[in-house]
Amino acid sequence: MADHQTILRVLTVLEKLRVEEFKVFKWHLKNLEEIPLYKLECATRHETVDLMVQHYPQEVVQVTTKCLSSMKRDDLVLALNPPKDQDIFGVRRKEKTSNATGKEKPDNRDIYPVSKDSMRSRVALLITNIKFTDEEMNRNGAEKDEENMENLLKSLKYEVVKHSNLTGKEIDRSLVEFSKHPKLIQTDSVVVVIMSHGKLGAILGKDWTDENQDEFPINNIYKHLDSHNCPALLDKPKIIIIQACRGGGTGSVLVSDGPNTAEVCDEEENIEEDRVQHVHKEKNFIALHSCTPDTAAYRHKDLGSFFIRYIDDVFKSSARQHHIEELFRKVMLRFEDFKFQTRRQMPTKERCTLTRNFYFFPAS
C-alpha cells in the first residue's frame, strides 16, 4: 500500500495540471482498464488518487508516471521522480540528522505519533440510546448503527467500552469513568461516539419527557477529557462523533433523532518561573456532528442512520491513506447530494483544536 508521502507526491503533481489537462490525464488512466470509467468521469484530484491507491496499491507512482509521459509532461514526471537530493518542488533537501545509532530521524512535527505499542492500547467509548421510557421515542434502526460503529472501531484497533440506554447522568458518569481508564496513559488517541436523540447543545437521556428534561450537556465531553481532568490524554487526539438532532429545523427527518474577544498583554512584568508548566486546557479535539445547529438528522428504521453508514463506508475505504480531518471531509462530501424529498442534512466539524494530522495507521 502506498504510504502518506507517496500519496502526497502524486496529489501535488496532479494539482499542477490545468482542468483540461486533468481530463486528459483521466482519459489515459481509463485506458489502462483497471479503474471503471463511471468512477473516473466526475472524480476530483483527491478522489482520483484514492482510486489509483485502491486499484494500484503498489504502483501509484508508476501509473501516474505512465499517464504523464503519454501527455508529454516530462516536467511533471521529473517532479514526481525527483533526484535523490531534491524534493518534488526541485528544492535541494536538507541533510537529515541522525541519532546515536546512526538511524535517520524523520521530522514528524506535523503528524501525531503512532506506534504499534500505542495502537495496542487504543480504547474508545460507544454510547447508544435505543430504548426510551417513552416508547414512542424508541430509535428503530439504531441497533444497526451500534453494530456498524463497534465493528468499525475494532477494525481501527480500538478496544470498545460500550453502554446502551443511559440517562443523562449515566452518560456523564460513563465519561468520567472513561477518563480514568488505565489504557489512556499508553494510547495514542481516543474515540468517543454518542448516538441518541438530541437538541442543540445536549444529548437526551433515556428517561427524557417534556416534564423530565433528562439531558447530558455535550460540553461535558470536553470538560471530562480536557488537560486538567484527564492529563493522560495530554497532546493526544480526542475524536468525538455525535449522531443526534440539534433542533427541529428542516435539514432532516426520515425518522428524527431529536424531539470573543481575548486580552493580550504587551508586557509581562514581575513574572517568575515557579517550575509549573501551563498547558492548553482544551486542545487536540475534533468533533463531527451529524447535522448543523438547529436541524435534525436522518435515520432509516431498518438500516440505521445515514451519518453512521457513511462514516463506516469512508473510514473502511480510506482510513489507511488519509488523516482524520480528510476522512471527516469525505463524509461531509457524501452529503452534498443527499436529499429526501425537500429535506437535507449536512454534518458539521466543530471545536477542532488538532495541531497536527492524525492517521489511524502509521506509514509503513
Side-chain angles (χ1 to χ4, degrees), residues 71-256:
M71 297 169 62
K72 310 299 183 185
R73 288 302 305 264
D74 295 339
D75 57 326
L76 295 185
V77 171
L78 181 61
L80 186 61
N81 303 275
K84 290 184 178 181
D85 65 340
Q86 293 181 5
D87 62 19
I88 59 176
F89 304 104
V91 178
R92 187 174 297 276
R93 292 190 178 100
K94 294 180 180 179
E95 189 174 332
K96 294 182 179 179
T97 58
S98 300
N99 57 24
T101 63
K103 294 182 179 179
E104 291 179 347
K105 292 165 58 178
D107 183 6
N108 289 327
R109 286 179 55 82
D110 291 334
I111 300 175
Y112 284 100
V114 173
S115 67
K116 291 181 180 179
D117 287 338
S118 69
M119 291 175 70
R120 281 194 287 267
S121 295
R122 283 181 177 173
V123 60
L125 178 64
L126 174 60
I127 298 173
T128 313
N129 279 356
I130 303 170
K131 303 294 183 183
F132 287 75
T133 301
D134 179 356
E135 293 185 0
E136 291 186 358
M137 292 180 62
N138 286 353
R139 301 177 61 246
N140 297 321
E143 300 91 342
K144 191 66 177 175
D145 286 345
E146 183 180 48
E147 177 187 346
N148 286 341
M149 186 52 67
E150 183 176 9
N151 289 337
L152 175 62
L153 290 169
K154 288 180 177 178
S155 74
L156 296 173
K157 310 304 182 185
Y158 288 87
E159 172 192 321
V160 181
V161 178
K162 187 169 69 170
H163 300 281
S164 302
N165 305 326
L166 302 183
T167 65
K169 288 184 178 179
E170 288 170 340
I171 294 174
D172 193 82
R173 191 155 50 244
S174 70
L175 258 297
V176 173
E177 292 173 356
F178 183 73
S179 72
K180 300 174 183 177
H181 196 289
K183 279 192 171 184
L184 297 190
I185 194 67
Q186 297 295 336
T187 188
D188 51 53
S189 59
V190 294
V191 181
V192 174
V193 183
I194 303 180
M195 302 183 285
S196 182
H197 291 297
K199 64 181 188 179
L200 190 60
I203 301 294
L204 304 192
K206 68 180 182 68
D207 292 337
W208 193 94
T209 64
D210 287 335
E211 295 75 29
N212 177 27
Q213 301 288 301
D214 177 22
E215 300 174 0
F216 166 75
I218 290 174
N219 196 56
N220 281 11
I221 300 172
Y222 302 90
K223 182 179 75 173
H224 295 320
L225 299 182
D226 69 16
S227 302
H228 175 71
N229 292 304
C230 188
L233 290 179
L234 181 66
D235 292 333
K236 298 175 183 179
K238 294 162 277 284
I239 300 160
I240 316 299
I241 296 173
I242 297 176
Q243 162 63 32
C245 288
R246 307 177 73 186
T250 301
S252 55
V253 298
L254 282 182
V255 176
S256 172

